[in-house]
Amino acid sequence: MSKVSSEENIAAIYSMLARAWGRQHWWPARSRFEVIVGAYLTQNTSWRNVEIAMRNLHAARVLSVEGIRNISVGRLERLIRSSGYFRQKARKLKMFVRFLDRCYGGSLNKMFAQPTAELREQLLSLNGVGPETADSILLYAGQHPVFVVDAYTRRLSIRHGILPDNAPYEEIRSLFERSLTRVPELSAIVVSSSSAGKASHSPSRMSLAARSPLAQVFNEMHGLIVSAGKQYCLKSKAHCDQCPLGPLLRPSSG
DNA sequence: TTCCGGCCGG
DNA sequence: CCGGCGGGAA
């Protein structure tokens, strides 16, 4: 069989899924802080249950740094109950705000102005923030160019022979970042389908995307992988015959 | 019963 | 490396 490098495989996955499904509008949230809260709440938890908690927080008007700073742990627990592990997660959200206050005077702007690598280490030092949560915050709340590795990424990569099943997080992350950085036309796929019309009516959003095209590619790739994982690459069973990536698995004459 | 966009402590 | 955390939906 023809030997294809992992980098080429990953690039192929990106272009096939992007072509099949287009933009993902991934990580729905109204603010950066909302992204951060969601990153905590969705740990080993279905997004469905997180949405209920987010609605509760929004209705209680505490979905902000201020709000989480001032709310009691008991009431916070009650509001996020649906997301599971609610006692741990309530404490950890309070701990994040304490960290933000202590190190950045409560300013997300100051926090995200930090260099990516330093901020990543700081986030990882927080109790309740592992690599996936840290990278989700960096990428989706801060537009820092890091690729988020999750269970879907591992599963899909293992099944496609890109990774051994014992590959450590950092190895996967650097592999995906390398693969998606190297191929220049990947960003063109994102850009072409996003800003087809010039002079859009949402300039703030566009300038952000334009400032960090690499982050946009990482963002899209993660969203596409999650879609594939939810629809086809299920945990117990994979429906490769229906999946847009099916052809990659079949030994072809190439 | 299983599964979910993990992480921590022993 | 392993158990615990935990509610909601399929």
Side-chain angles (χ1 to χ4, degrees), chain A residues 216-251:
Chain A
Q216 283 296 302
V217 174
F218 293 163
N219 182 325
E220 281 304 307
M221 179 60 155
H222 183 236
L224 290 165
I225 288 177
V226 173
S227 292
K230 282 182 171 172
Q231 298 178 54
Y232 302 104
C233 206
L234 309 186
K235 176 159 196 176
S236 43
K237 194 163 70 126
H239 303 114
C240 303
D241 45 340
Q242 330 264 356
C243 181
L245 300 180
L248 287 180
L249 291 175
R250 281 183 269 284

PDB file of all heavy atoms in Angstrom, chain A residues 216-251:
ATOM      1  N   GLN A 216      -7.766  30.605  12.810  1.00  0.00           N
ATOM      2  CA  GLN A 216      -9.003  30.275  12.116  1.00  0.00           C
ATOM      3  C   GLN A 216      -8.974  28.854  11.565  1.00  0.00           C
ATOM      4  O   GLN A 216      -9.958  28.121  11.639  1.00  0.00           O
ATOM      5  CB  GLN A 216      -9.245  31.264  10.973  1.00  0.00           C
ATOM      6  CG  GLN A 216      -9.756  32.612  11.437  1.00  0.00           C
ATOM      7  CD  GLN A 216     -11.123  32.488  12.085  1.00  0.00           C
ATOM      8  OE1 GLN A 216     -12.062  32.016  11.475  1.00  0.00           O
ATOM      9  NE2 GLN A 216     -11.206  32.888  13.347  1.00  0.00           N
ATOM     10  N   VAL A 217      -7.836  28.477  11.003  1.00  0.00           N
ATOM     11  CA  VAL A 217      -7.714  27.119  10.467  1.00  0.00           C
ATOM     12  C   VAL A 217      -7.809  26.085  11.589  1.00  0.00           C
ATOM     13  O   VAL A 217      -8.508  25.073  11.468  1.00  0.00           O
ATOM     14  CB  VAL A 217      -6.385  26.950   9.700  1.00  0.00           C
ATOM     15  CG1 VAL A 217      -6.192  25.506   9.271  1.00  0.00           C
ATOM     16  CG2 VAL A 217      -6.359  27.870   8.494  1.00  0.00           C
ATOM     17  N   PHE A 218      -7.140  26.339  12.696  1.00  0.00           N
ATOM     18  CA  PHE A 218      -7.208  25.406  13.829  1.00  0.00           C
ATOM     19  C   PHE A 218      -8.637  25.313  14.348  1.00  0.00           C
ATOM     20  O   PHE A 218      -9.129  24.225  14.686  1.00  0.00           O
ATOM     21  CB  PHE A 218      -6.285  25.872  14.958  1.00  0.00           C
ATOM     22  CG  PHE A 218      -4.820  25.810  14.623  1.00  0.00           C
ATOM     23  CD1 PHE A 218      -3.891  26.502  15.379  1.00  0.00           C
ATOM     24  CD2 PHE A 218      -4.366  25.052  13.551  1.00  0.00           C
ATOM     25  CE1 PHE A 218      -2.541  26.441  15.080  1.00  0.00           C
ATOM     26  CE2 PHE A 218      -3.018  24.988  13.235  1.00  0.00           C
ATOM     27  CZ  PHE A 218      -2.100  25.692  14.005  1.00  0.00           C
ATOM     28  N   ASN A 219      -9.284  26.448  14.425  1.00  0.00           N
ATOM     29  CA  ASN A 219     -10.677  26.515  14.852  1.00  0.00           C
ATOM     30  C   ASN A 219     -11.563  25.647  13.964  1.00  0.00           C
ATOM     31  O   ASN A 219     -12.301  24.781  14.456  1.00  0.00           O
ATOM     32  CB  ASN A 219     -11.114  27.988  14.790  1.00  0.00           C
ATOM     33  CG  ASN A 219     -12.527  28.194  15.263  1.00  0.00           C
ATOM     34  OD1 ASN A 219     -13.389  27.365  15.049  1.00  0.00           O
ATOM     35  ND2 ASN A 219     -12.769  29.332  15.903  1.00  0.00           N
ATOM     36  N   GLU A 220     -11.448  25.851  12.652  1.00  0.00           N
ATOM     37  CA  GLU A 220     -12.268  25.094  11.710  1.00  0.00           C
ATOM     38  C   GLU A 220     -11.993  23.601  11.804  1.00  0.00           C
ATOM     39  O   GLU A 220     -12.911  22.788  11.806  1.00  0.00           O
ATOM     40  CB  GLU A 220     -11.995  25.574  10.286  1.00  0.00           C
ATOM     41  CG  GLU A 220     -12.692  26.865   9.932  1.00  0.00           C
ATOM     42  CD  GLU A 220     -14.199  26.768  10.138  1.00  0.00           C
ATOM     43  OE1 GLU A 220     -14.818  25.832   9.602  1.00  0.00           O
ATOM     44  OE2 GLU A 220     -14.740  27.624  10.864  1.00  0.00           O
ATOM     45  N   MET A 221     -10.714  23.240  11.850  1.00  0.00           N
ATOM     46  CA  MET A 221     -10.344  21.833  11.866  1.00  0.00           C
ATOM     47  C   MET A 221     -10.940  21.126  13.078  1.00  0.00           C
ATOM     48  O   MET A 221     -11.480  20.032  12.971  1.00  0.00           O
ATOM     49  CB  MET A 221      -8.820  21.691  11.865  1.00  0.00           C
ATOM     50  CG  MET A 221      -8.338  20.250  11.893  1.00  0.00           C
ATOM     51  SD  MET A 221      -8.918  19.260  10.469  1.00  0.00           S
ATOM     52  CE  MET A 221      -7.644  17.997  10.418  1.00  0.00           C
ATOM     53  N   HIS A 222     -10.851  21.766  14.212  1.00  0.00           N
ATOM     54  CA  HIS A 222     -11.407  21.143  15.408  1.00  0.00           C
ATOM     55  C   HIS A 222     -12.918  20.971  15.279  1.00  0.00           C
ATOM     56  O   HIS A 222     -13.466  19.906  15.585  1.00  0.00           O
ATOM     57  CB  HIS A 222     -11.075  21.987  16.640  1.00  0.00           C
ATOM     58  CG  HIS A 222     -11.551  21.385  17.915  1.00  0.00           C
ATOM     59  ND1 HIS A 222     -12.384  22.041  18.778  1.00  0.00           N
ATOM     60  CD2 HIS A 222     -11.344  20.167  18.459  1.00  0.00           C
ATOM     61  CE1 HIS A 222     -12.658  21.256  19.803  1.00  0.00           C
ATOM     62  NE2 HIS A 222     -12.039  20.114  19.640  1.00  0.00           N
ATOM     63  N   GLY A 223     -13.583  22.001  14.781  1.00  0.00           N
ATOM     64  CA  GLY A 223     -15.028  21.891  14.580  1.00  0.00           C
ATOM     65  C   GLY A 223     -15.394  20.786  13.619  1.00  0.00           C
ATOM     66  O   GLY A 223     -16.345  20.023  13.846  1.00  0.00           O
ATOM     67  N   LEU A 224     -14.626  20.669  12.547  1.00  0.00           N
ATOM     68  CA  LEU A 224     -14.900  19.627  11.553  1.00  0.00           C
ATOM     69  C   LEU A 224     -14.693  18.237  12.141  1.00  0.00           C
ATOM     70  O   LEU A 224     -15.476  17.317  11.894  1.00  0.00           O
ATOM     71  CB  LEU A 224     -13.993  19.826  10.338  1.00  0.00           C
ATOM     72  CG  LEU A 224     -14.303  21.058   9.473  1.00  0.00           C
ATOM     73  CD1 LEU A 224     -13.152  21.363   8.523  1.00  0.00           C
ATOM     74  CD2 LEU A 224     -15.609  20.856   8.705  1.00  0.00           C
ATOM     75  N   ILE A 225     -13.646  18.086  12.926  1.00  0.00           N
ATOM     76  CA  ILE A 225     -13.381  16.786  13.535  1.00  0.00           C
ATOM     77  C   ILE A 225     -14.487  16.400  14.512  1.00  0.00           C
ATOM     78  O   ILE A 225     -14.933  15.255  14.555  1.00  0.00           O
ATOM     79  CB  ILE A 225     -12.010  16.787  14.245  1.00  0.00           C
ATOM     80  CG1 ILE A 225     -10.888  16.790  13.204  1.00  0.00           C
ATOM     81  CG2 ILE A 225     -11.870  15.581  15.165  1.00  0.00           C
ATOM     82  CD1 ILE A 225      -9.500  16.864  13.792  1.00  0.00           C
ATOM     83  N   VAL A 226     -14.956  17.368  15.275  1.00  0.00           N
ATOM     84  CA  VAL A 226     -16.036  17.070  16.217  1.00  0.00           C
ATOM     85  C   VAL A 226     -17.302  16.667  15.458  1.00  0.00           C
ATOM     86  O   VAL A 226     -18.000  15.725  15.855  1.00  0.00           O
ATOM     87  CB  VAL A 226     -16.312  18.278  17.137  1.00  0.00           C
ATOM     88  CG1 VAL A 226     -17.535  18.029  17.994  1.00  0.00           C
ATOM     89  CG2 VAL A 226     -15.112  18.545  18.027  1.00  0.00           C
ATOM     90  N   SER A 227     -17.578  17.358  14.362  1.00  0.00           N
ATOM     91  CA  SER A 227     -18.738  16.978  13.568  1.00  0.00           C
ATOM     92  C   SER A 227     -18.614  15.550  13.057  1.00  0.00           C
ATOM     93  O   SER A 227     -19.560  14.765  13.121  1.00  0.00           O
ATOM     94  CB  SER A 227     -18.897  17.930  12.377  1.00  0.00           C
ATOM     95  OG  SER A 227     -19.257  19.211  12.822  1.00  0.00           O
ATOM     96  N   ALA A 228     -17.441  15.233  12.562  1.00  0.00           N
ATOM     97  CA  ALA A 228     -17.217  13.875  12.073  1.00  0.00           C
ATOM     98  C   ALA A 228     -17.358  12.860  13.202  1.00  0.00           C
ATOM     99  O   ALA A 228     -17.945  11.787  13.030  1.00  0.00           O
ATOM    100  CB  ALA A 228     -15.825  13.775  11.446  1.00  0.00           C
ATOM    101  N   GLY A 229     -16.842  13.228  14.356  1.00  0.00           N
ATOM    102  CA  GLY A 229     -16.905  12.318  15.493  1.00  0.00           C
ATOM    103  C   GLY A 229     -18.323  12.085  15.975  1.00  0.00           C
ATOM    104  O   GLY A 229     -18.684  10.983  16.383  1.00  0.00           O
ATOM    105  N   LYS A 230     -19.127  13.123  15.929  1.00  0.00           N
ATOM    106  CA  LYS A 230     -20.500  12.989  16.393  1.00  0.00           C
ATOM    107  C   LYS A 230     -21.376  12.243  15.394  1.00  0.00           C
ATOM    108  O   LYS A 230     -22.272  11.488  15.783  1.00  0.00           O
ATOM    109  CB  LYS A 230     -21.100  14.375  16.634  1.00  0.00           C
ATOM    110  CG  LYS A 230     -20.671  15.025  17.933  1.00  0.00           C
ATOM    111  CD  LYS A 230     -21.343  16.370  18.107  1.00  0.00           C
ATOM    112  CE  LYS A 230     -21.092  16.937  19.491  1.00  0.00           C
ATOM    113  NZ  LYS A 230     -21.576  18.333  19.609  1.00  0.00           N
ATOM    114  N   GLN A 231     -21.134  12.498  14.114  1.00  0.00           N
ATOM    115  CA  GLN A 231     -22.033  11.935  13.109  1.00  0.00           C
ATOM    116  C   GLN A 231     -21.602  10.557  12.622  1.00  0.00           C
ATOM    117  O   GLN A 231     -22.446   9.716  12.340  1.00  0.00           O
ATOM    118  CB  GLN A 231     -22.127  12.885  11.904  1.00  0.00           C
ATOM    119  CG  GLN A 231     -22.707  14.241  12.234  1.00  0.00           C
ATOM    120  CD  GLN A 231     -22.723  15.146  11.021  1.00  0.00           C
ATOM    121  OE1 GLN A 231     -23.250  14.795   9.980  1.00  0.00           O
ATOM    122  NE2 GLN A 231     -22.114  16.323  11.145  1.00  0.00           N
ATOM    123  N   TYR A 232     -20.296  10.344  12.490  1.00  0.00           N
ATOM    124  CA  TYR A 232     -19.832   9.106  11.846  1.00  0.00           C
ATOM    125  C   TYR A 232     -18.843   8.312  12.684  1.00  0.00           C
ATOM    126  O   TYR A 232     -18.954   7.096  12.801  1.00  0.00           O
ATOM    127  CB  TYR A 232     -19.195   9.435  10.489  1.00  0.00           C
ATOM    128  CG  TYR A 232     -20.138  10.145   9.555  1.00  0.00           C
ATOM    129  CD1 TYR A 232     -20.023  11.505   9.316  1.00  0.00           C
ATOM    130  CD2 TYR A 232     -21.164   9.437   8.928  1.00  0.00           C
ATOM    131  CE1 TYR A 232     -20.902  12.159   8.467  1.00  0.00           C
ATOM    132  CE2 TYR A 232     -22.052  10.077   8.075  1.00  0.00           C
ATOM    133  CZ  TYR A 232     -21.917  11.441   7.851  1.00  0.00           C
ATOM    134  OH  TYR A 232     -22.793  12.068   7.029  1.00  0.00           O
ATOM    135  N   CYS A 233     -17.873   9.004  13.239  1.00  0.00           N
ATOM    136  CA  CYS A 233     -16.800   8.279  13.937  1.00  0.00           C
ATOM    137  C   CYS A 233     -17.190   8.083  15.404  1.00  0.00           C
ATOM    138  O   CYS A 233     -16.505   8.524  16.317  1.00  0.00           O
ATOM    139  CB  CYS A 233     -15.488   9.062  13.825  1.00  0.00           C
ATOM    140  SG  CYS A 233     -14.014   8.028  13.940  1.00  0.00           S
ATOM    141  N   LEU A 234     -18.308   7.381  15.608  1.00  0.00           N
ATOM    142  CA  LEU A 234     -18.837   7.197  16.949  1.00  0.00           C
ATOM    143  C   LEU A 234     -17.918   6.310  17.769  1.00  0.00           C
ATOM    144  O   LEU A 234     -17.098   5.552  17.233  1.00  0.00           O
ATOM    145  CB  LEU A 234     -20.223   6.576  16.880  1.00  0.00           C
ATOM    146  CG  LEU A 234     -21.219   7.273  15.958  1.00  0.00           C
ATOM    147  CD1 LEU A 234     -22.597   6.637  16.087  1.00  0.00           C
ATOM    148  CD2 LEU A 234     -21.278   8.751  16.225  1.00  0.00           C
ATOM    149  N   LYS A 235     -18.089   6.410  19.071  1.00  0.00           N
ATOM    150  CA  LYS A 235     -17.178   5.691  19.950  1.00  0.00           C
ATOM    151  C   LYS A 235     -17.227   4.176  19.717  1.00  0.00           C
ATOM    152  O   LYS A 235     -16.209   3.544  19.502  1.00  0.00           O
ATOM    153  CB  LYS A 235     -17.523   5.988  21.406  1.00  0.00           C
ATOM    154  CG  LYS A 235     -16.680   5.202  22.381  1.00  0.00           C
ATOM    155  CD  LYS A 235     -16.665   5.861  23.728  1.00  0.00           C
ATOM    156  CE  LYS A 235     -15.526   5.321  24.575  1.00  0.00           C
ATOM    157  NZ  LYS A 235     -15.438   6.033  25.855  1.00  0.00           N
ATOM    158  N   SER A 236     -18.427   3.628  19.773  1.00  0.00           N
ATOM    159  CA  SER A 236     -18.515   2.173  19.672  1.00  0.00           C
ATOM    160  C   SER A 236     -18.571   1.688  18.226  1.00  0.00           C
ATOM    161  O   SER A 236     -18.181   0.572  17.933  1.00  0.00           O
ATOM    162  CB  SER A 236     -19.736   1.684  20.435  1.00  0.00           C
ATOM    163  OG  SER A 236     -20.849   2.500  20.185  1.00  0.00           O
ATOM    164  N   LYS A 237     -19.070   2.540  17.341  1.00  0.00           N
ATOM    165  CA  LYS A 237     -19.186   2.106  15.948  1.00  0.00           C
ATOM    166  C   LYS A 237     -18.855   3.262  15.005  1.00  0.00           C
ATOM    167  O   LYS A 237     -19.251   4.388  15.233  1.00  0.00           O
ATOM    168  CB  LYS A 237     -20.605   1.590  15.662  1.00  0.00           C
ATOM    169  CG  LYS A 237     -20.729   0.816  14.369  1.00  0.00           C
ATOM    170  CD  LYS A 237     -22.015  -0.008  14.364  1.00  0.00           C
ATOM    171  CE  LYS A 237     -23.258   0.882  14.247  1.00  0.00           C
ATOM    172  NZ  LYS A 237     -24.141   0.534  13.154  1.00  0.00           N
ATOM    173  N   ALA A 238     -18.140   2.931  13.943  1.00  0.00           N
ATOM    174  CA  ALA A 238     -17.789   3.937  12.943  1.00  0.00           C
ATOM    175  C   ALA A 238     -18.532   3.650  11.640  1.00  0.00           C
ATOM    176  O   ALA A 238     -18.560   2.514  11.177  1.00  0.00           O
ATOM    177  CB  ALA A 238     -16.289   3.923  12.692  1.00  0.00           C
ATOM    178  N   HIS A 239     -19.163   4.675  11.076  1.00  0.00           N
ATOM    179  CA  HIS A 239     -19.884   4.529   9.816  1.00  0.00           C
ATOM    180  C   HIS A 239     -19.049   5.101   8.680  1.00  0.00           C
ATOM    181  O   HIS A 239     -19.391   6.127   8.079  1.00  0.00           O
ATOM    182  CB  HIS A 239     -21.232   5.236   9.893  1.00  0.00           C
ATOM    183  CG  HIS A 239     -22.097   4.750  11.021  1.00  0.00           C
ATOM    184  ND1 HIS A 239     -22.443   5.547  12.076  1.00  0.00           N
ATOM    185  CD2 HIS A 239     -22.658   3.543  11.257  1.00  0.00           C
ATOM    186  CE1 HIS A 239     -23.204   4.858  12.922  1.00  0.00           C
ATOM    187  NE2 HIS A 239     -23.338   3.627  12.448  1.00  0.00           N
ATOM    188  N   CYS A 240     -17.976   4.399   8.381  1.00  0.00           N
ATOM    189  CA  CYS A 240     -17.022   4.936   7.415  1.00  0.00           C
ATOM    190  C   CYS A 240     -17.594   4.982   5.999  1.00  0.00           C
ATOM    191  O   CYS A 240     -17.153   5.771   5.167  1.00  0.00           O
ATOM    192  CB  CYS A 240     -15.751   4.096   7.430  1.00  0.00           C
ATOM    193  SG  CYS A 240     -14.996   4.002   9.064  1.00  0.00           S
ATOM    194  N   ASP A 241     -18.592   4.133   5.723  1.00  0.00           N
ATOM    195  CA  ASP A 241     -19.136   4.108   4.372  1.00  0.00           C
ATOM    196  C   ASP A 241     -19.920   5.374   4.056  1.00  0.00           C
ATOM    197  O   ASP A 241     -20.011   5.789   2.918  1.00  0.00           O
ATOM    198  CB  ASP A 241     -20.028   2.872   4.188  1.00  0.00           C
ATOM    199  CG  ASP A 241     -20.965   2.683   5.370  1.00  0.00           C
ATOM    200  OD1 ASP A 241     -20.679   3.243   6.448  1.00  0.00           O
ATOM    201  OD2 ASP A 241     -21.978   1.982   5.213  1.00  0.00           O
ATOM    202  N   GLN A 242     -20.504   5.990   5.101  1.00  0.00           N
ATOM    203  CA  GLN A 242     -21.250   7.232   4.881  1.00  0.00           C
ATOM    204  C   GLN A 242     -20.361   8.467   5.021  1.00  0.00           C
ATOM    205  O   GLN A 242     -20.707   9.541   4.555  1.00  0.00           O
ATOM    206  CB  GLN A 242     -22.380   7.356   5.909  1.00  0.00           C
ATOM    207  CG  GLN A 242     -22.942   6.043   6.389  1.00  0.00           C
ATOM    208  CD  GLN A 242     -24.181   5.642   5.611  1.00  0.00           C
ATOM    209  OE1 GLN A 242     -24.651   6.394   4.761  1.00  0.00           O
ATOM    210  NE2 GLN A 242     -24.690   4.458   5.895  1.00  0.00           N
ATOM    211  N   CYS A 243     -19.247   8.314   5.713  1.00  0.00           N
ATOM    212  CA  CYS A 243     -18.428   9.472   6.080  1.00  0.00           C
ATOM    213  C   CYS A 243     -17.680  10.035   4.869  1.00  0.00           C
ATOM    214  O   CYS A 243     -17.214   9.271   4.014  1.00  0.00           O
ATOM    215  CB  CYS A 243     -17.410   9.058   7.145  1.00  0.00           C
ATOM    216  SG  CYS A 243     -16.364  10.417   7.711  1.00  0.00           S
ATOM    217  N   PRO A 244     -17.557  11.348   4.793  1.00  0.00           N
ATOM    218  CA  PRO A 244     -16.780  11.974   3.717  1.00  0.00           C
ATOM    219  C   PRO A 244     -15.323  11.520   3.712  1.00  0.00           C
ATOM    220  O   PRO A 244     -14.652  11.609   2.679  1.00  0.00           O
ATOM    221  CB  PRO A 244     -16.867  13.467   4.033  1.00  0.00           C
ATOM    222  CG  PRO A 244     -18.082  13.626   4.871  1.00  0.00           C
ATOM    223  CD  PRO A 244     -18.223  12.345   5.643  1.00  0.00           C
ATOM    224  N   LEU A 245     -14.852  11.025   4.853  1.00  0.00           N
ATOM    225  CA  LEU A 245     -13.463  10.579   4.929  1.00  0.00           C
ATOM    226  C   LEU A 245     -13.307   9.106   4.581  1.00  0.00           C
ATOM    227  O   LEU A 245     -12.201   8.569   4.609  1.00  0.00           O
ATOM    228  CB  LEU A 245     -12.917  10.816   6.349  1.00  0.00           C
ATOM    229  CG  LEU A 245     -12.928  12.270   6.821  1.00  0.00           C
ATOM    230  CD1 LEU A 245     -12.375  12.360   8.233  1.00  0.00           C
ATOM    231  CD2 LEU A 245     -12.140  13.153   5.874  1.00  0.00           C
ATOM    232  N   GLY A 246     -14.405   8.456   4.255  1.00  0.00           N
ATOM    233  CA  GLY A 246     -14.354   7.043   3.918  1.00  0.00           C
ATOM    234  C   GLY A 246     -13.304   6.692   2.885  1.00  0.00           C
ATOM    235  O   GLY A 246     -12.560   5.716   3.069  1.00  0.00           O
ATOM    236  N   PRO A 247     -13.206   7.451   1.803  1.00  0.00           N
ATOM    237  CA  PRO A 247     -12.212   7.134   0.766  1.00  0.00           C
ATOM    238  C   PRO A 247     -10.779   7.091   1.284  1.00  0.00           C
ATOM    239  O   PRO A 247      -9.952   6.368   0.725  1.00  0.00           O
ATOM    240  CB  PRO A 247     -12.384   8.287  -0.237  1.00  0.00           C
ATOM    241  CG  PRO A 247     -13.806   8.712  -0.067  1.00  0.00           C
ATOM    242  CD  PRO A 247     -14.122   8.510   1.384  1.00  0.00           C
ATOM    243  N   LEU A 248     -10.492   7.810   2.329  1.00  0.00           N
ATOM    244  CA  LEU A 248      -9.129   7.802   2.869  1.00  0.00           C
ATOM    245  C   LEU A 248      -8.763   6.447   3.447  1.00  0.00           C
ATOM    246  O   LEU A 248      -7.587   6.096   3.525  1.00  0.00           O
ATOM    247  CB  LEU A 248      -8.981   8.862   3.963  1.00  0.00           C
ATOM    248  CG  LEU A 248      -8.937  10.314   3.512  1.00  0.00           C
ATOM    249  CD1 LEU A 248      -8.776  11.234   4.711  1.00  0.00           C
ATOM    250  CD2 LEU A 248      -7.792  10.524   2.535  1.00  0.00           C
ATOM    251  N   LEU A 249      -9.767   5.722   3.906  1.00  0.00           N
ATOM    252  CA  LEU A 249      -9.485   4.444   4.556  1.00  0.00           C
ATOM    253  C   LEU A 249      -9.334   3.312   3.554  1.00  0.00           C
ATOM    254  O   LEU A 249      -8.666   2.334   3.815  1.00  0.00           O
ATOM    255  CB  LEU A 249     -10.611   4.101   5.544  1.00  0.00           C
ATOM    256  CG  LEU A 249     -10.666   5.014   6.770  1.00  0.00           C
ATOM    257  CD1 LEU A 249     -11.877   4.687   7.616  1.00  0.00           C
ATOM    258  CD2 LEU A 249      -9.390   4.857   7.574  1.00  0.00           C
ATOM    259  N   ARG A 250     -10.011   3.451   2.431  1.00  0.00           N
ATOM    260  CA  ARG A 250      -9.957   2.368   1.451  1.00  0.00           C
ATOM    261  C   ARG A 250      -8.616   2.394   0.727  1.00  0.00           C
ATOM    262  O   ARG A 250      -8.168   3.445   0.298  1.00  0.00           O
ATOM    263  CB  ARG A 250     -11.094   2.511   0.440  1.00  0.00           C
ATOM    264  CG  ARG A 250     -12.409   2.026   0.979  1.00  0.00           C
ATOM    265  CD  ARG A 250     -13.475   2.129  -0.086  1.00  0.00           C
ATOM    266  NE  ARG A 250     -14.150   3.406  -0.039  1.00  0.00           N
ATOM    267  CZ  ARG A 250     -15.058   3.725   0.874  1.00  0.00           C
ATOM    268  NH1 ARG A 250     -15.383   2.849   1.805  1.00  0.00           N
ATOM    269  NH2 ARG A 250     -15.636   4.904   0.865  1.00  0.00           N
ATOM    270  N   PRO A 251      -7.979   1.228   0.595  1.00  0.00           N
ATOM    271  CA  PRO A 251      -6.733   1.157  -0.175  1.00  0.00           C
ATOM    272  C   PRO A 251      -7.022   1.435  -1.644  1.00  0.00           C
ATOM    273  O   PRO A 251      -7.692   0.659  -2.306  1.00  0.00           O
ATOM    274  CB  PRO A 251      -6.278  -0.292   0.029  1.00  0.00           C
ATOM    275  CG  PRO A 251      -7.535  -1.031   0.396  1.00  0.00           C
ATOM    276  CD  PRO A 251      -8.403  -0.050   1.120  1.00  0.00           C
TER     277      PRO A 251
END
